[in-house]
Amino acid sequence: MTTPILPGATLGILGGGQLGRMTAMAARALGYHIHCLDPDPSCAARFVVDRCLTASFEDDFAAADLARHCAVVTLEIEKVSQASLAAAGRYAPVRPSARALAVVQDRGAQRAWLAAQGAPQGPWRLVTDPDGSLAAVEALGGACFFKACTGGYDGRSQAEVTEASEAREAFRALGGGPCVVEARLAIAAELSVLVARTPSGAVTVYPPAKNHHQDRVLTWSVLPGPLEPAVAREAEALGLRLAEALGVEGLLVLELFLTQGGALFVNELAPRPHNTFHATEVACLTSQFEQCVRAVCDLPLGSVEVVRPAAIYNLFGDLWLRGDAPAFDRALALPGVRVHLYGKRHARPGRKMGHLSATGPSPEEALARVRHARTLLGA
């Protein structure tokens, strides 16, 4: 029997990026104090938390120092070492657990775990050497994606090949370490589903979001996704089943592919708040960030009802590098449009600096509105 961690307590977050920042803001609204740890001394969460430790995610001493002052510790990024998670766990419960993180941190381990659960996946192979990479691509039909087992996100540490002759070079380009090779699928739609689960076992699931990626990085997302009801039910059921099997305490997001043949496949798991559910801040009675706080503190979970459809569009550093400030006043002139900036000091090409959100009477109209708002910001 767990005891709820009530408002007034201190919540620790491993990671101070935009997800940590938005989680901290939701926790503050509930009355919690917030400590975080991040390697970047100017991380996005620094100015919305009570205490920010500047340290590596592999610094187990710093992780223990964070947890020593907190009633519970959660995370906004998977790149936290097992040693740091164990060190934090000696002073406060870490949610999600180190065991759940171990499954997710390594793509090979994640694929094997999904297979053991009977979760639907596209064809894949684990490779550890150049010759193995060639054999994998030949077995999978030529057109494949290489993904390093560790260290990659937002399309990083990935490579695409169209024929077997490119396999060895793709393997070497990713550093020569273990990789998962995945067959290219005929994809009709990309979607995601978010499950929240408490230590007491209460669980809830948000309606699936429909997403669009460019160069393997999310461009826009709409909630609820305009999907066939049977597809949405299947995605939700799969999310609930895998969250229970993994024993997640907090959030679990499944990124999914819907193939042109109508099959639903798991792409990957994320045990934290997720870019594809930022729209919950304006669409739902309970945002994903408040839900994360409720879940890890073992509070009653909030309603996942969609009050009004919403969509988001990511804003990258390129917008700030052309000389003029983005024309946010033009975007904000549109009804239902909001600007969400992450407080990052330095813009770089491809770096997520914020997002636009828009609501509408239907998912399609919300998406059209946010896409129009993005065009008003310029190229």
Side-chain angles (χ1 to χ4, degrees), residues 91-334:
Y91 296 96
V94 176
R95 298 168 178 162
S97 68
R99 184 189 69 83
L101 262 291
V103 170
V104 175
Q105 287 174 327
D106 183 295
R107 277 196 174 95
Q110 184 179 150
R111 286 287 176 202
W113 183 85
L114 288 167
Q117 304 308 313
Q121 303 180 76
W124 65 279
R125 297 288 188 279
L126 177 66
V127 301
T128 57
D129 59 67
D131 290 341
S133 68
L134 176 62
V137 173
E138 289 175 339
L140 295 173
C144 294
F145 291 99
F146 279 64
K147 299 179 180 180
C149 282
T150 59
Y153 67 97
D154 274 351
R156 298 174 177 86
S157 298
Q158 299 184 20
E160 182 178 0
V161 302
T162 57
E163 57 186 37
S165 62
E166 301 168 342
R168 289 190 176 95
E169 181 54 36
F171 179 80
R172 295 189 186 99
L174 296 183
C179 293
V180 169
V181 181
E182 301 174 1
R184 174 186 281 278
L185 302 173
I187 297 173
E190 301 171 75
L191 55 148
S192 53
V193 64
L194 186 156
V195 179
R197 185 175 180 273
T198 70
S200 296
V203 65
T204 192
V205 58
Y206 286 81
K210 185 176 181 181
N211 314 312
H212 176 72
H213 290 74
Q214 185 171 334
D215 298 325
R216 297 186 287 278
V217 181
L218 183 72
T219 302
W220 55 256
S221 179
V222 60
L223 183 74
L227 302 162
E228 292 293 331
V231 171
R233 288 194 298 270
E234 182 181 354
E236 292 170 9
L238 183 58
L240 289 167
R241 180 166 72 83
L242 293 183
E244 292 285 350
L246 194 58
V248 163
E249 297 175 347
L251 305 183
L252 181 70
V253 170
L254 279 66
E255 293 185 24
L256 302 162
F257 293 141
L258 179 65
T259 69
Q260 292 178 6
L264 201 60
F265 291 139
V266 179
N267 176 33
E268 62 183 31
L269 308 177
R272 52 166 173 77
H274 200 263
N275 197 173
T276 60
F277 282 91
H278 287 349
T280 58
E281 286 195 297
V282 294
C284 298
L285 286 174
T286 311
S287 77
Q288 66 165 334
F289 303 106
E290 179 182 333
Q291 199 76 285
C292 178
V293 176
R294 286 174 176 246
V296 301
C297 292
D298 209 27
L299 297 176
L301 295 174
S303 169
V304 297
E305 180 185 349
V306 175
V307 179
R308 191 168 175 81
I312 65 106
Y313 201 112
N314 275 332
L315 303 176
F316 298 97
D318 313 66
L319 267 175
W320 280 259
L321 298 177
R322 59 190 185 182
D324 299 328
F328 291 123
D329 55 332
R330 296 179 186 175
L332 288 169
L334 296 178

